[in-house]
Amino acid sequence: MLRQMRAPVAVLALAVVVGLAGAVPAAENSTAWEAAAAYVSSLPEGFNGIKGEVLKAKLEAGEQIFVLDVRQPSEFAAGHIEGALNVPVRSVPAALDKLPADKNAPIVVVCASAVRSGYVAMALAFKGYTNVKHLAAGYVAGWQKAGYPAVK
Amino acid sequence: MKTSLHFTVRGDETLMKLRAAHRWPALQPAFQQACASCHATCGDCHVSKAKSVRGGLMDGHSFLRVGPMEEACGTCHGGRVFPEYTGKNEGFPADVHWEKGRMHCAACHSVTQLHGDGTAYPDRHAVASKATCLGCHPNARAEGSSVEQHAVHRDRINCVVCHATVYRGCENCHVGAGAKSALQFKIGRSARPDAPYTYTLLRHVPTVRGMWDAKVADAMPGYDAVPTWKDTVPHNIQRKTPRTASCNNCHGNARIFLKPGDLNPTEAAANARVVVTTIPPRR
């Protein structure tokens, strides 16, 4: 599974870097680039993804994991992981006060297909959150299709 | 050796007899051909490697008193216990006995337990010399323990409920559509009448109602007599877990318990006595 994930996630990571650079088109933002480069070059095995099976088991075993669902409210309303907080991707920077105060607390970011969640996981890492992962394959393929418990 | 459960595989037979009830004579030949063919003899643990890893010898023709753990034990117990013990379940740590102590299986599982003591026990839970937590950690006993939670929960809760992490169980069946393993963690009631505790961890086993259909018709009229969520002893013990960190990681946390709604409807009757119907309130 990880091997299958590797190529698309690597592409995503590069897209994030390119996207970041694109956000400041006037000139190269060397500070942003240094942060992005450090993040990308130190990506761990699995690219900070967590399999749905592992997340489900951890939640069932009582681990206190903050699940941040960055999909649109309509997607969230159709089904989500119990206890998840819904903050649409573009609203995350303005909603940091809703995240755990402890920046070392485990956070798992969820979206439909692990694209939006990858951006948010990286952004939170830049903000100093040290234990952020995102749901590998996303909610649809990584959770819903597996038949894992969902609430509406 | 003749009373060793490794040799007799009597544990599986005990459960299958209960499920087969009066149909046991009809099922027994198929059981012998399938499940009971897995028994181990002396050389399987002391000389050769299991067929599952294409056989071969562990150390030439030497008869090893205690073979390498990964070959002598891990080849037959490599689906669940060995990966669990050595931290191969992605996202979950190795057992503290391995992580900190690099303890061989035989450090806890004595030669008497493995070879048998002359008594033909019905299953591994009944073996007098089986490994127990309190055997090495007598100070953890509820009476007089310096740990408040040990005293609070007394003998109602098995040690592993708080001190194990996630483990693997199976869905569906070996013989039919093929079993699929899944990470699990469910607290439920023990179905063992001799259990010294009420609540323990339960693991789903892949025994489905129609698993013998292709070989023996109506093979398990007593299917509902044995739960398919059975007492398990995960081999990934930890001193600290989310459950040792906070009362409310169990109390009020419904998803950590095996509830009636979690059951496959075809297995509801078999597991009626192990499910938890009242979730302990938040503290």
Side-chain angles (χ1 to χ4, degrees):
Chain A
M1 173 105 184
L2 282 181
R3 196 161 291 171
Q4 292 169 351
M5 286 292 300
R6 199 164 293 167
V9 175
V11 170
L12 168 64
L14 285 172
V16 169
V17 175
V18 172
L20 195 72
V24 282
E28 179 181 312
N29 184 331
S30 58
T31 305
W33 168 246
E34 283 173 19
Y39 182 84
V40 171
S41 59
S42 62
L43 277 168
E45 184 81 11
F47 302 96
N48 288 325
I50 180 171
K51 291 180 184 173
E53 181 189 25
V54 175
L55 176 61
K56 171 178 168 285
K58 283 178 177 280
L59 290 171
E60 284 182 344
E63 287 200 26
Q64 296 300 304
I65 297 173
F66 189 91
V67 180
L68 176 64
D69 192 321
V70 298
R71 295 177 296 163
Q72 292 302 305
S74 59
E75 298 172 274
F76 185 79
H80 57 266
I81 298 170
E82 185 181 359
L85 176 72
N86 182 215
V87 181
V89 58
R90 293 188 183 85
S91 303
V92 169
L96 294 184
D97 58 330
K98 296 176 181 171
L99 269 51
D102 176 6
K103 286 191 170 178
N104 298 318
I107 297 174
V108 172
V109 188
V110 176
C111 71
S113 61
V115 174
R116 286 168 284 183
S117 60
Y119 285 101
V120 172
M122 182 176 180
L124 292 178
F126 285 5
K127 189 61 182 168
Y129 291 87
T130 63
N131 197 359
V132 184
K133 293 182 182 294
H134 69 130
L135 180 62
Y139 183 81
V140 174
W143 192 274
Q144 190 179 41
K145 283 189 178 173
Y148 296 153
V151 292
K152 292 184 178 179
Chain B
M1 181 66 198
K2 285 184 177 176
T3 57
S4 161
L5 290 173
H6 273 138
F7 181 70
T8 64
V9 202
R10 190 147 179 253
D12 284 340
E13 184 180 306
T14 297
L15 295 179
M16 203 52 74
K17 270 183 177 173
L18 285 169
R19 289 181 171 122
H22 67 273
R23 291 286 289 159
W24 176 243
L27 178 58
Q28 190 174 17
F31 175 82
Q32 290 295 337
Q33 192 179 24
C35 315
S37 65
C38 205
H39 71 156
T41 57
C42 309
D44 293 321
C45 301
H46 293 283
V47 181
S48 59
K49 293 185 265 189
K51 289 176 186 169
S52 61
V53 290
R54 299 181 183 174
L57 305 173
M58 286 190 279
D59 183 18
H61 291 98
S62 304
F63 186 96
L64 303 176
R65 183 171 170 271
V66 181
M69 193 171 77
E70 61 274 22
E71 294 180 343
C73 315
T75 47
C76 287
H77 296 279
R80 182 170 58 84
V81 172
F82 191 72
E84 212 164 81
Y85 185 64
T86 51
K88 298 295 190 294
N89 280 345
E90 183 187 329
F92 299 96
D95 192 295
V96 67
H97 300 95
W98 173 251
E99 191 70 30
K100 301 282 187 189
R102 284 294 187 266
M103 289 168 65
H104 192 291
C105 307
C108 292
H109 298 287
S110 69
V111 64
T112 309
Q113 181 190 2
L114 299 177
H115 285 178
D117 62 6
T119 301
Y121 296 107
D123 61 38
R124 63 188 170 84
H125 295 294
V127 175
S129 57
K130 70 178 178 181
T132 65
C133 303
L134 293 174
C136 288
H137 301 281
N139 292 340
R141 197 175 295 279
E143 302 84 21
S145 171
S146 60
V147 180
E148 182 189 357
Q149 299 313 318
H150 290 176
V152 168
H153 292 112
R154 299 202 300 277
D155 56 355
R156 288 175 299 196
I157 297 179
N158 193 359
C159 310
V160 296
V161 171
C162 293
H163 289 290
T165 59
V166 168
Y167 46 89
R168 283 199 174 275
C170 282
E171 302 288 342
N172 300 320
C173 101
H174 294 295
V175 182
K180 179 187 173 196
S181 80
L183 293 169
Q184 297 173 341
F185 193 96
K186 290 292 182 192
I187 302 172
R189 291 174 173 273
S190 172
R192 290 173 46 213
D194 61 330
Y197 42 76
T198 306
Y199 294 93
T200 189
L201 294 180
L202 301 177
R203 174 170 56 87
H204 191 254
V205 294
T207 311
V208 295
R209 200 176 286 271
M211 66 182 274
W212 294 108
D213 284 356
K215 294 176 182 288
V216 182
D218 188 30
M220 295 191 288
Y223 180 80
D224 293 337
V226 183
T228 53
W229 283 87
K230 64 182 290 189
D231 278 44
T232 193
V233 182
H235 280 62
N236 52 19
I237 302 302
Q238 308 293 318
R239 184 164 180 265
K240 293 182 179 177
T241 70
R243 278 143 279 114
T244 64
S246 167
C247 302
N248 291 329
N249 283 343
C250 287
H251 286 256
N253 180 15
R255 60 183 159 192
I256 207 169
F257 294 92
L258 183 71
K259 304 175 294 301
D262 297 327
L263 300 174
N264 182 326
T266 62
E267 299 173 20
N271 294 290
R273 60 193 161 127
V274 301
V275 293
V276 177
T277 51
T278 305
I279 308 300
R282 285 178 67 83
R283 307 292 290 180

